[in-house]
Amino acid sequence: MLRIVHIGYAPVSLKSLNQHATGIKLCNGFIRNGHQVLALSDRDLARGFGFGHRRLGRGPFNRMIRDYCRAHKPELLVLGHADMVDAQTIAAIRGDLPGLRVVQWNVDPLFEPDNIRRIEGKLGVVDLTLVSTAGASMAALRRPGVRVGFMPNPVDLSIERGRMDEVEAPDFDIFYACGNPSRPPRHVCGQEWDMREFVAGLRARLPGLRWLTPGIDRPFLNGAAYQAALCQAGMGLNISRRGDDFLYSSDRLAHLTGNGQLAFIERATGYDRFFGEDEMGFFSSLEELADMLARYKAEPRARMRAAAAGRARYAELFNERRVAAYIVEAAFGGTRESDYPWPDHPA
């Protein structure tokens, strides 16, 4: 078993009450697989060193991280969106600890140039980079001597605790949460949308549906209030920034399926590679989406069966222990698609 230092975006400050953060789930997965985990939030620590200002605290934080690793001697250093950790600090830690393996993971889209820049900043000092987009988009990160692979958004059923697949008459029919509905616009079925207009259009087509849409027509939710909202609707709309980047999705997909909602997602994402039409609601047009929503509203038992099957399948494929095990195996050697049945394993 390993000693792992995991530095990432699982903040303790009130600025982001994200109970569903990928970093939290991966820490749970590492621990449940028997590893020792020392978890740190780079943003919060840098802010503390800088008396509330991350930029002022960046230098002292990086010096502290080097001393911390020198004292604890991890075998694996995992970085999740750890933008406060400088590349030269990682290089120095590697010099202090020969044999240390270093992995960075990133679940932001690869069509954002600023995200590519952040990932590229550490490519030369890590052993492995894992991203939540597969296929051709990964070409932006591929170069000689660099190992890049796909990492799915994990589900953790100790966090996604709802069982809406067992509720025949939920308070709401459809759930969609959107932090910023207009900037930048979402790309859905070949068209760019302000999501307020998108939801308004579907509501007009489907006047009988009861919508729960935090961030659209009511305040955005986080923390316990967000989890409670996920346990009030039978269906969930999974619309990310784009729906045509292979296997890219917001981690919202894990939130919806894990809580037993029947998730609706564009077919162009490629998730029909893993899930059948009886496990998720795949659509290629707004007409197809509207027709399915109406059908599953009218047939709650069919919705419950499909949601239960999708939840079970997602939890089998992408649970936190499996994704954590994949990170460790990929960091120290190789992985097989028979063990982890998703594409673009790091070479």
Side-chain angles (χ1 to χ4, degrees):
M1 296 295 102
L2 301 174
R3 183 180 301 113
I4 301 171
V5 169
H6 189 180
I7 305 174
Y9 188 56
V12 297
S13 73
L14 296 180
K15 292 190 68 174
S16 178
L17 299 173
N18 187 356
Q19 296 182 357
H20 301 75
T22 299
I24 295 173
K25 296 178 185 180
L26 292 179
C27 282
N28 288 348
F30 291 136
I31 292 167
R32 289 165 186 163
N33 288 340
H35 303 294
Q36 179 187 9
V37 177
L38 303 168
L40 304 171
S41 170
D42 61 315
R43 288 164 174 78
D44 289 314
L45 283 168
R47 191 178 293 114
F49 279 114
F51 303 98
H53 301 280
R54 288 188 305 187
R55 290 183 180 179
L56 292 177
R58 185 169 190 146
F61 163 71
N62 275 267
R63 291 190 290 274
M64 170 265 180
I65 285 297
R66 184 179 180 184
D67 291 340
Y68 186 89
C69 289
R70 194 185 285 135
H72 286 290
K73 294 181 170 54
E75 290 92 7
L76 178 63
L77 175 61
V78 179
L79 307 166
H81 294 254
D83 297 332
M84 292 293 104
V85 181
D86 295 331
Q88 55 264 39
T89 299
I90 300 170
I93 293 170
R94 301 195 70 144
D96 296 333
L97 302 172
L100 175 72
R101 295 297 179 99
V102 184
V103 176
Q104 69 169 330
W105 59 262
N106 184 289
V107 293
D108 280 347
L110 298 185
F111 50 77
E112 290 185 345
D114 190 53
N115 189 44
I116 292 290
R117 178 190 59 77
R118 290 194 297 269
I119 297 171
E120 286 179 328
K122 294 185 175 68
L123 283 180
V125 294
V126 303
D127 296 293
L128 173 65
T129 295
L130 296 172
V131 293
S132 61
T133 305
S137 294
M138 294 175 66
L141 300 173
R142 294 195 185 278
R143 59 208 64 184
V146 170
R147 298 179 69 222
V148 182
F150 172 73
M151 185 188 84
N153 287 301
V155 68
D156 182 336
L157 297 184
S158 72
I159 295 173
E160 282 96 10
R161 295 170 300 180
R163 290 305 306 261
M164 296 310 297
D165 54 305
E166 298 177 349
V167 179
E168 186 169 356
D171 295 336
F172 297 91
D173 298 307
I174 184 76
F175 173 86
Y176 176 62
C178 187
N180 192 333
S182 58
R183 294 195 313 272
R186 267 57 170 180
H187 189 272
V188 189
C189 296
Q191 182 177 345
E192 290 193 339
W193 288 93
D194 178 311
M195 291 310 294
R196 292 189 186 91
E197 296 176 359
F198 181 89
V199 169
L202 277 178
R203 276 179 160 154
R205 288 174 185 241
L206 302 164
L209 256 68
R210 297 161 299 165
W211 290 76
L212 178 56
T213 50
I216 299 290
D217 57 358
R218 61 182 70 195
F220 188 71
L221 300 175
N222 55 23
Y226 174 67
Q227 174 60 28
L230 286 161
C231 296
Q232 295 181 62
M235 299 180 284
L237 192 56
N238 184 69
I239 293 181
S240 305
R241 288 269 305 282
R242 296 190 66 90
D244 57 357
D245 223 7
F246 185 48
L247 296 186
Y248 171 69
S249 170
S250 153
D251 59 354
R252 183 188 301 108
L253 184 60
H255 308 167
L256 304 179
T257 56
N259 280 291
Q261 294 185 6
L262 177 56
F264 291 83
I265 183 172
E266 278 194 72
R267 194 171 281 107
T269 59
Y271 273 89
D272 56 352
R273 171 187 177 122
F274 302 111
F275 299 90
E277 301 284 341
D278 58 347
E279 295 172 326
M280 280 189 182
F282 292 103
F283 63 93
S284 299
S285 68
L286 300 186
E287 291 75 17
E288 186 177 16
L289 172 60
D291 288 346
M292 281 195 298
L293 290 172
R295 176 166 64 87
Y296 281 115
K297 158 71 173 174
E299 301 175 21
R301 289 286 179 175
R303 183 262 302 166
M304 293 164 66
R305 286 193 298 271
R311 179 181 183 272
R313 179 69 170 155
Y314 201 103
E316 174 194 1
L317 287 173
F318 307 140
N319 67 76
E320 82 290 354
R321 292 189 63 172
R322 194 174 203 178
V323 177
Y326 168 74
I327 292 172
V328 171
E329 289 186 31
F332 285 89
T335 56
R336 298 180 301 174
E337 193 162 339
S338 57
D339 294 330
Y340 306 100
W342 49 79
D344 292 312
H345 288 221

